[in-house]
Amino acid sequence: MSSSGNLVVAATAAAVGAGAAMFYLTSKDIQKSRPKGSSVANPTTGPRKYLIGGNWKSNGSYEENVARIKVFNEAGPIPDNVEVVLCVPYIHIPMVLSQLRDDIEVGAQDCGVNEKDGAYTGEVGAHMLKDIGCTWVIIGHSERREGFGMAGEPEELCAKKCKNALNKGLKVMFAIGEKKEERESGVTMKVCAKQLEPLAKLLEPKDWANVAIAYEPVWAIGTGLTATPEMAQETHADIRKWIKENVSEEVAEAIRIQYGGSMKGANAEALLKQPDIDGGLIGGASLQADFFNVVNGVPKKL
């Protein structure tokens, strides 16, 4: 090999080594570089703190998502009665954790049912998500329950994933919801109850403090269709009643129930005014500056 070739190899090896060292450092201290966020006082009389979750789904190149983070970092203060979480693709979690403002939590969109390391090809364990710095995970999203070119996830599996995530120290947005034909047949709550029953059997009373229920009418996800505020409130109230009757009154009063059917800036305020709607799980709008219109759509005390 020529001397110039040797120089290229040496330079490449040095760059790779430096990159590996940098990853090692940031994997341990990944959040130390996060910019500071800011909050603004927004006292309300509601019994629960609002939870606005963003679900980026399978979207964004590295450069696109860096640009999104910049938009959110510059979006202004977050009302202090709102908890904000972004659930991003696995591959972007370290980057988001290092660059996103520190008053927005970072989560994943799913996790494995495996409780520890092992021969689980393709899975990302809840313990791994916790280790890297995630605080939340979505479990049971309708796209995973239904499947997309693969078998869907049954109710029992979703419940097991949720319990595993809670055991590893994550908080869970547990998604439930009905299809259009089920809504039209009048069996919305029957469907939601069927999705909740395995969870209620597995969770201990203390677990519920770290669970939010994300009610997502499947017919409204990504379609532009949205339940009216009154329709959404009716189902949220039914879900809270079910939890009161099947878990406990204490859990029913405390648990946050998010709405997840095409919530965006234009309809967030009307939805979030409803007494049993405690936030949203936002899809498409969470990829845009409009996400902060949802965040700022929570009721304000005049």
Side-chain angles (χ1 to χ4, degrees), residues 249-299:
E249 183 173 359
E250 181 182 11
V251 169
E253 285 298 318
I255 197 165
R256 293 179 288 184
I257 306 176
Q258 304 160 275
Y259 176 75
S262 293
M263 185 185 281
K264 48 189 177 291
N267 59 25
E269 187 173 351
L271 287 161
L272 293 168
K273 282 181 179 177
Q274 304 303 313
D276 288 295
I277 298 181
D278 306 309
L281 181 54
I282 318 302
S286 71
L287 297 165
Q288 306 165 21
D290 189 47
F291 183 60
F292 260 73
N293 293 327
V294 177
V295 171
N296 290 308
V298 300

Side-chain angles (χ1 to χ4, degrees), residues 64-93:
E64 288 168 342
N65 287 339
V66 166
R68 287 189 177 103
I69 289 172
K70 185 174 187 294
V71 170
F72 295 157
N73 286 350
E74 297 172 354
I78 292 172
D80 64 1
N81 62 335
V82 183
E83 183 176 3
V84 183
V85 186
L86 282 178
C87 295
V88 306
Y90 289 135
I91 196 168
H92 295 305
I93 288 172

Side-chain angles (χ1 to χ4, degrees), residues 1-36:
M1 183 180 292
S2 67
S3 59
S4 60
N6 286 331
L7 287 172
V8 169
V9 171
T12 302
V16 169
M22 183 178 294
F23 180 78
Y24 175 76
L25 289 172
T26 56
S27 68
K28 296 188 71 174
D29 302 309
I30 195 165
Q31 299 190 64
K32 289 185 177 179
S33 62
R34 295 180 72 174
K36 292 291 182 184

Side-chain angles (χ1 to χ4, degrees), residues 84-286:
V84 183
V85 186
L86 282 178
C87 295
V88 306
Y90 289 135
I91 196 168
H92 295 305
I93 288 172
M95 179 271 288
V96 175
L97 277 168
S98 68
Q99 296 188 29
L100 182 66
R101 55 193 289 176
D102 65 0
D103 55 352
I104 299 179
E105 297 178 74
V106 179
Q109 300 164 16
D110 186 44
C111 70
V113 73
N114 52 303
E115 298 179 2
K116 57 185 179 180
D117 292 350
Y120 308 103
T121 301
E123 288 295 82
V124 176
H127 60 294
M128 295 174 169
L129 296 174
K130 180 68 175 177
D131 179 64
I132 199 68
C134 289
T135 52
W136 283 88
V137 62
I138 300 169
I139 299 293
H141 192 281
S142 64
E143 290 158 5
R144 298 200 64 84
R145 289 182 185 269
E146 186 69 14
F148 36 88
M150 63 179 189
E153 298 182 352
E155 287 87 358
E156 291 76 13
L157 176 59
C158 294
K160 288 177 181 177
K161 284 187 174 187
C162 181
K163 177 61 174 170
N164 181 41
L166 294 167
N167 287 348
K168 297 302 183 290
L170 294 173
K171 293 176 280 188
V172 176
M173 287 178 262
F174 191 79
I176 62 173
E178 84 286 3
K179 299 176 185 176
K180 188 171 186 288
E181 60 270 23
E182 293 166 336
R183 160 68 65 170
E184 292 172 346
S185 298
V187 296
T188 292
M189 197 54 221
K190 184 177 180 180
V191 172
C192 291
K194 186 171 182 284
Q195 295 167 345
L196 286 169
E197 284 165 0
L199 189 67
K201 291 176 182 177
L202 275 183
L203 297 194
E204 301 172 46
K206 65 181 177 63
D207 290 330
W208 289 97
N210 292 312
V211 176
I213 302 298
Y215 167 62
E216 297 193 302
V218 179
W219 50 271
I221 298 173
T223 64
L225 300 173
T226 308
T228 66
E230 294 75 21
M231 288 168 61
Q233 164 58 24
E234 180 182 19
T235 305
H236 280 234
D238 287 343
I239 293 168
R240 200 175 301 283
K241 179 182 177 184
W242 188 94
I243 294 171
K244 179 180 178 180
E245 294 173 349
N246 292 274
V247 181
S248 74
E249 183 173 359
E250 181 182 11
V251 169
E253 285 298 318
I255 197 165
R256 293 179 288 184
I257 306 176
Q258 304 160 275
Y259 176 75
S262 293
M263 185 185 281
K264 48 189 177 291
N267 59 25
E269 187 173 351
L271 287 161
L272 293 168
K273 282 181 179 177
Q274 304 303 313
D276 288 295
I277 298 181
D278 306 309
L281 181 54
I282 318 302
S286 71

